[in-house]
Amino acid sequence: MSRTDLGMPTFPQAARVSTKDTQLRANLTHATHTIRAKRATAVSELPDWPQLRETGAAVKDHTLHHLDHYLLQLEAAVTQAGGTVHWATDAHEANRITTDIIKATGETEVVKVKSMATQETGLNEALAHHGIHAYETDLAELIVQLADDRPSHILVPAIHKNRTEIRDIFTQHMADWGRPAPHHLTDNPTDLAEAARLHLREKFLTTKIAISGANFMIAETGTLVVVESEGNGRMCLTLPDTLISIVGIEKTIPTFHDLDTLLQTLPRSSTAERMNPYTTMWTGTTPHDGPTNFHLILLDNGRTDTLADPTGRQTLRCIRCSACLNVCPVYERAGGHAYGSPYPGPIGAILTPQLRGTTTPLDASLPYASTLCGACYDVCPVAINIPEILVHLRERVADQKDGHRAERTAMKAATWLLDHPAALAAAERAASTTRRLHPAKLPLPGPAKAWSDARDLPEVGAASFRASWKKNRGAANAPHPGQGAGTGTGTGTGTGSAADEPKHDTDHSEDTPR
């Protein structure tokens, strides 16, 4: 990801607009609640789900702790199987390598099976700059591309569109990208799917280069795995002459045995299916079977920085199931575009600031795009403690030189005041004396006003706790009427009344428990 300021609004600014879009909120609520309910049913079928969750987390953690070893093993296996491995430090390098490979073939069109890594690097825009047209083949990605829009969900990128809006997009824009939509297209889902199938089939049969991502890379064999539900992945991965796969280095796992666990948890957590309709695996190249040229681009782009953070590195366990988005009350109301990143929702709120850093206002705002309710952690199939990482990143933002200066100033002032009892007592007396002049709410400016308007200031008492304590303790120590100053009836300490002292009764029957 680019580490420069993208010029996009911060999360609070974007959410202030998106939450007022009633159609967007209706679309999101319907979709997320439907997926959430189906997922819960699918997961409940497995009595050993907690154990699978722990195993998946352990597989990913083990791989991340030994990532250098497994990446080299993966490179050797892919090379031995006839593929070519490239290493990309950042987005610019990944886009350059991809562009050079395509230019060497003389082709100007590519088809793509959904890859979030290419969204992360801005590949489509980079290719367009060199006169190369990239066609998205996932149905939802196609909708987003035709509408000149951005994805708003990991699993369902067009979740913010309803079927009537999709019909209008196909009718108005499909002809600009290839085969036009049928005349009198309805918003019936079957008709929409058929229009997309006819449009895409033309691209599959004529385009010589495909670009893919991968859900997993198996180090021991050099095998890449893509799981999807429409069959477009199978077409992209088998028909073209050249296949370029751009994959984040964290997608590596050691063995096929490890894949067994993750293929049980990923479909149930994402599409609420027991098994994906299409699970495609490929290992290098094979004569007369599939692409004749295979290139694997291993993308870092901030991942090793994330790996170096003991708290934040668990983010790299993510298998992109999107379950955390579907249970998040913030995502449901704000939508995916408010996050300003290819990775929306709770996982985006922790992944994006680690990949891009927290130096821009947008990235610094993302760790605060959460209520910390913990629902995301509960549904994560690899047990990423998202709330813990959110708090960790908030600390990082607060510690930045230009971040939350007012908060740091207030905390320093409070620290000094608490370290000086005399000054604290004077401040408490001043607060009590002027209590009738205090406003009901803090008069905060700008975005903070919304926070202060929803919260009343507590009333200040006539006396501080310190003063009340001193007064009450003094009254308790005073002698009772008829007593001398040193004639207490207890132990003679003079620190309290007789009622406060232990009883010394000679009748041991009182010791019997009752």
Side-chain angles (χ1 to χ4, degrees):
M1 277 185 184
S2 170
R3 291 172 181 267
T4 60
D5 191 343
L6 303 179
M8 301 184 72
T10 64
F11 181 86
Q13 292 169 333
R16 191 175 298 114
V17 176
S18 62
T19 51
K20 295 177 182 177
D21 187 335
T22 55
Q23 183 63 64
L24 171 67
R25 293 188 61 171
N27 294 347
L28 287 172
T29 299
H30 173 72
T32 56
H33 283 228
T34 300
I35 299 171
R36 185 192 311 175
K38 289 181 177 179
R39 177 199 175 277
T41 300
V43 167
S44 67
E45 295 177 351
L46 295 180
D48 61 341
W49 179 262
Q51 290 74 30
L52 286 170
R53 186 174 185 247
E54 292 177 6
T55 301
V59 167
K60 296 293 287 186
D61 279 347
H62 168 78
T63 310
L64 293 172
H65 278 92
H66 304 280
L67 190 56
D68 53 346
H69 166 76
Y70 288 116
L71 284 173
L72 292 176
Q73 184 182 15
L74 174 69
E75 179 186 33
V78 170
T79 302
Q80 185 176 4
T84 303
V85 177
H86 310 263
W87 299 81
T89 304
D90 54 24
H92 174 75
E93 190 171 7
N95 293 340
R96 178 187 58 77
I97 294 170
T98 305
T99 303
D100 289 346
I101 294 171
I102 298 171
K103 282 184 173 182
T105 68
E107 298 291 332
T108 58
E109 292 186 342
V110 300
V111 289
K112 292 177 62 189
V113 55
K114 185 168 64 175
S115 166
M116 299 201 73
T118 63
Q119 295 172 23
E120 178 185 325
T121 65
L123 178 64
N124 287 9
E125 294 78 9
L127 293 179
H129 180 72
H130 292 275
I132 300 169
H133 303 284
Y135 299 101
E136 300 290 350
T137 65
D138 176 88
L139 176 57
E141 294 281 3
L142 172 66
I143 294 166
V144 169
Q145 185 177 48
L146 293 177
D148 193 22
D149 198 354
R150 291 180 291 120
S152 64
H153 193 277
I154 291 176
L155 175 66
V156 194
I159 195 173
H160 55 296
K161 302 291 186 183
N162 61 35
R163 64 189 190 183
T164 301
E165 293 172 308
I166 295 169
R167 188 270 317 276
D168 294 341
I169 291 169
F170 281 6
T171 301
Q172 296 169 17
H173 302 293
M174 195 170 265
D176 299 335
W177 291 79
R179 182 181 178 123
H183 292 295
H184 310 297
L185 179 64
T186 74
D187 64 359
N188 182 284
T190 302
D191 293 340
L192 294 174
E194 178 65 8
R197 188 188 72 83
L198 293 173
H199 176 83
L200 291 172
R201 183 58 59 95
E202 182 181 88
K203 299 298 181 186
F204 290 137
L205 295 177
T206 59
T207 307
K208 302 296 184 181
I209 300 178
I211 296 175
S212 84
N215 293 93
F216 307 103
M217 300 184 291
I218 303 173
E220 69 173 351
T221 60
T223 302
L224 275 70
V225 184
V226 162
V227 295
E228 39 102 9
S229 302
E230 301 170 17
N232 62 303
R234 184 67 54 85
M235 302 287 276
C236 284
L237 298 167
T238 57
L239 293 179
D241 294 334
T242 299
L243 172 60
I244 306 168
S245 297
I246 305 172
V247 191
I249 56 177
E250 83 281 8
K251 297 295 186 69
T252 308
I253 58 175
T255 68
F256 264 99
H257 179 72
D258 302 315
L259 181 66
D260 174 60
T261 297
L262 296 169
L263 285 185
Q264 293 183 70
T265 55
L266 176 57
R268 292 175 187 269
S269 278
S270 57
T271 56
E273 296 170 298
R274 297 180 182 89
M275 181 178 179
N276 281 90
Y278 296 91
T279 301
T280 304
M281 304 183 188
W282 69 99
T283 306
T285 60
T286 302
H288 312 297
D289 183 13
T292 56
N293 300 293
F294 171 55
H295 297 268
L296 172 60
I297 301 175
L298 295 172
L299 178 66
D300 185 333
N301 204 36
R303 285 161 174 79
T304 52
D305 292 340
T306 304
L307 187 62
D309 183 345
T311 301
R313 70 165 62 112
Q314 59 181 302
T315 306
L316 298 179
R317 294 181 196 160
C318 180
I319 57 176
R320 307 292 191 269
C321 71
S322 79
C324 60
L325 280 70
N326 300 324
V327 299
C328 178
V330 176
Y331 173 84
E332 181 183 321
R333 288 157 180 80
H337 291 160
Y339 294 82
S341 165
Y343 304 106
I347 188 62
I350 61 172
L351 180 60
T352 301
Q354 294 189 86
L355 296 184
R356 292 200 305 219
T358 54
T359 57
T360 70
L362 167 61
D363 296 326
S365 72
L366 290 179
Y368 296 88
S370 172
T371 64
L372 300 180
C373 68
C376 49
Y377 175 47
D378 292 339
V379 299
C380 179
V382 286
I384 301 171
N385 193 335
I386 295 178
E388 177 187 35
I389 303 171
L390 285 167
V391 173
H392 172 65
L393 292 175
R394 291 180 185 186
E395 292 175 353
R396 181 184 299 178
V397 172
D399 288 340
Q400 287 176 182
K401 181 178 180 181
D402 297 324
H404 295 278
R405 286 175 290 181
E407 180 184 14
R408 291 204 314 276
T409 300
M411 294 304 295
K412 287 181 179 179
T415 300
W416 183 89
L417 193 62
L418 293 172
D419 281 343
H420 296 78
L424 177 61
E428 291 171 344
R429 288 194 299 271
S432 297
T433 303
T434 61
R435 67 186 186 280
R436 299 186 185 280
L437 304 177
H438 296 179
K441 301 179 185 295
L442 280 174
L444 297 178
K449 187 175 185 299
W451 182 89
S452 62
D453 284 348
R455 293 164 174 83
D456 292 332
L457 280 173
E459 294 184 6
V460 177
S464 67
F465 175 81
R466 180 192 299 262
S468 298
W469 175 266
K470 185 175 181 180
K471 178 180 178 181
N472 292 336
R473 291 294 291 174
N477 292 340
H480 290 280
Q483 287 183 324
T487 59
T489 58
T491 58
T493 61
T495 59
S497 67
D500 296 327
E501 300 302 331
K503 233 175 180 180
H504 298 287
D505 198 320
T506 55
D507 183 358
H508 295 288
S509 63
E510 292 294 328
D511 295 336
T512 304
R514 290 183 285 180

